[in-house]
Amino acid sequence: MTTADASEALPPRAIARRRLRLRAGPLLSLPLLLLLAVGFLAPLLAVLGFSFSEPRSFALLAHPTLENYETIFDPANTVYMSFLWSLWFAFLSVCILAVVSYPVAYGLAKLFGRWANLITLLMVFPLFISENVRLYGWVLFFIKNGVLDGGLRSLFGFGIGDLLFTPGIIVFGMVYTYLPFMLFPMTLGLSMVPQEAVEAAGDLGASRLQIFREVELPLSLPGIIIGALLTFVLSVGAIAESKVLGGQAVIVITHDIEIAFTYAQNWPLGAALAVLLMLVVGALVLTVLRHLDLDRILGRR
Amino acid sequence: MNVTRRDFLKTTAAGAAALSAPAILSGRAWAARDKELNILCWEGYNSADVLDPFRSAHDATVKAESLTNDPTMINRLRAGETNVWDLINVNNPWARKVMYPEGLIKPLDRATFEPYFDKMLPMFKPPYKWAMSDDGKELLGMCQRFGPYSFVVNTKKVSRKTAEDQGWDLWNDPANAGKYGILESDDWNVFDIFLIAGINPFVTHSDADFEKFDTTAKKVFKGAKVVGDIATMNQALISGEINFHMTGGTYSASPARFDGYPEIRGVTPLKSAIPGKGGVSWIEVTSTVANPQLSPLATQFLEYVQDPKVAHTVAFAEGTFNPVAQMANKKCFELFTKEELDAIQWDSLDEEMERSAEYDIVPDYDRALDLMTAAKREASGG
């Protein structure tokens, strides 16, 4: 029976009810759509518009130009270095986070039992405190004659040397800050690996390493990828780590954008940099998402 | 899901109410601004110690947002926030050279406010240049906090005399690479890189000047141990990570000094490329915004902070500690303890202000900032 046939067979009141039901979805989503249009889309469009405005002007698209993009792509401009640093830091952070988080996520999903909730709480707890405050806490910990260096000197007679204000400490800061964003999707991914599949692999003679490589890792991969995407996007947009812990030892792209919007009073250039960053990150994320089945991750299948 | 007409109407009504609430509130705000005051300022004026007595006295809602650089605040007005703010508190050149010509601020009534300048320290004698419009006719703002702002040293590592004598050449000495920091304050850093390069920042520059500026910026940022905010600089000075830092003065050193580290000291060099001056100073000017519905409390607040007790509170509000123009008034000066005077380097304030050129706008600032930003980038990674 076709849909048309079904409609013809229904009494008029039922048809009206059905039509109202069909319209209810779009109608109810209208306030949210409006909110998204005003709060999400409009600022993005403003940024896009500014990126085509005259350099150092404050009028949106008064004289549209490509000059900002030309400035960025000028071979003499070194802003590409900031892009590369940001992408490199984000890549390193994601790799380290994946290695660090996997064992903890495995424990949370499979081993810790009733302790899992407490450990989850401990992992979430730092998120209640401002990121900057936590990073300044690390400065006091790592600074010369600080908690670590001073403690080691008084106890063992040697210090730690120059740890703070280096590129390495920036990556440490990113790993520390974004750990929960990798850990929890990963835990979710691992908790979706059926115990029966692991047991079956064991019964069929697979070694522990084979079970990990051929059962657990592939089945938990969606969680790992979601965690990796989340932490990559957050790390690429990070600024506090390089400013507070890194002492600006490296200028990341978000810092360049900030300088353009503040001291340089060059909103159009800042907007063009922001648009390019969104494009780069968006392209990377979309490429990964094309190979990812969200329904499966959310357990609908 | 079955949605009845009644349910639908209820939902949309609630949604519409939620969406229109800000509009309704702002409409109310437009109607009555006599109990509302919004201040865009450097930190200190947003302190509860300063604002609470004013709030109680006027039964008013006073909001103050603090930012730590002038261009951002001015951009907020340019972006259309003249409708939001009543007062803006920035450094000296912006009112007369930028905000008034661009129609972002309104002049004050000279008859009411100029007499206050008579009671300030001698340097503010009316008509005080930075509070006046270019043509000298309009009073554009009120003055309060000020201070010398060149660089800061740990006198246990570099004596005050050495710092004053050697001055900006501290950064030209290769032996100092890795021993200094740079305060994150890009507009001031532009001045200071020019001064290290032996060039007056406040004149129009030649290509040769910019070449020298570029080389100097690369060298200075390459040799910096850390670039950061005031807290980071003070922490790095106290811990021994650095011996001195570029851009700084009473404003940045006073919290460390007040905390028991008198060896942290703002220094104004004896000489520099600015004729007759060794460093740079700042003076805040607070102006009424060109708000179409300016709160009547704006001018009342400007008078309120002239009170000796309030002026002392402003000087020692949270964050940083600074001298205030009202210290000329005995009633105000007597409120400062010896520790407070030490923190703001009262002993050398006069001579340092005398030796400092007043903060001004660099005519070709954009080009210099671009070169400096590129130099910072090039120094990335050590």
Side-chain angles (χ1 to χ4, degrees), chain A residues 17 20-21 24 27-28 30-31 34-35 56 58 77-82 85 136 139-140 142-146 161-165 167 242-244 246-252 255-256 258-267 269, chain B residues 1-5 7-8 11-12 15-16 19 68-72 74-76 78-79 94 184-188 221 225-229 231-232 235-236 238-241 365-367 369-370 373-374 376-382:
Chain A
R17 223 177 15 241
L20 186 61
R21 218 165 33 224
L27 282 174
L28 285 176
L30 205 61
L34 272 172
L35 204 65
R56 300 187 200 272
F58 295 92
N77 194 330
T78 52
V79 76
Y80 70 91
M81 290 171 72
S82 310
W85 274 111
Y136 277 110
V139 170
L140 293 179
F142 284 120
I143 202 165
K144 194 173 181 180
N145 298 319
D162 285 341
L163 258 184
L164 209 56
F165 314 136
S242 73
K243 286 179 87 170
V244 178
Q248 299 187 24
V250 169
I251 303 294
V252 289
H255 192 180
D256 263 310
E258 187 189 82
I259 292 172
F261 273 99
T262 53
Y263 290 107
Q265 303 197 51
N266 196 349
W267 291 11
L269 181 69
Chain B
M1 180 188 174
N2 285 316
V3 180
T4 64
R5 192 176 135 78
D7 289 337
F8 173 71
T11 312
T12 38
L19 279 173
T68 51
N69 71 72
D70 298 324
T72 303
I74 290 151
N75 286 348
R76 298 274 293 265
R78 284 172 172 153
W94 298 96
E184 182 193 17
S185 186
D186 282 355
D187 41 357
W188 285 86
F221 277 95
K225 178 81 183 281
V226 50
V227 182
D229 56 19
T232 306
Q235 196 64 250
I238 292 164
S239 70
E241 288 269 7
Y365 170 80
D366 294 344
R367 189 173 167 191
L369 182 70
D370 286 347
T373 307
K376 280 166 90 172
R377 222 181 273 131
E378 213 168 286
S380 280

Side-chain angles (χ1 to χ4, degrees), chain A residues 73-90:
Chain A
F73 287 107
D74 183 337
N77 194 330
T78 52
V79 76
Y80 70 91
M81 290 171 72
S82 310
F83 268 104
L84 291 178
W85 274 111
S86 286
L87 292 169
W88 172 237
F89 280 156

Side-chain angles (χ1 to χ4, degrees), chain A residues 257-301:
Chain A
I257 295 172
E258 187 189 82
I259 292 172
F261 273 99
T262 53
Y263 290 107
Q265 303 197 51
N266 196 349
W267 291 11
L269 181 69
L273 287 171
V275 168
L276 284 177
L277 183 64
M278 280 191 282
L279 284 178
V280 171
V281 175
L284 283 168
V285 171
L286 284 177
T287 312
V288 175
L289 281 180
R290 273 183 61 190
H291 300 287
L292 202 68
D293 188 342
L294 277 177
D295 279 338
R296 195 171 133 204
I297 295 162
L298 297 170
R300 288 199 200 123
R301 253 186 256 160

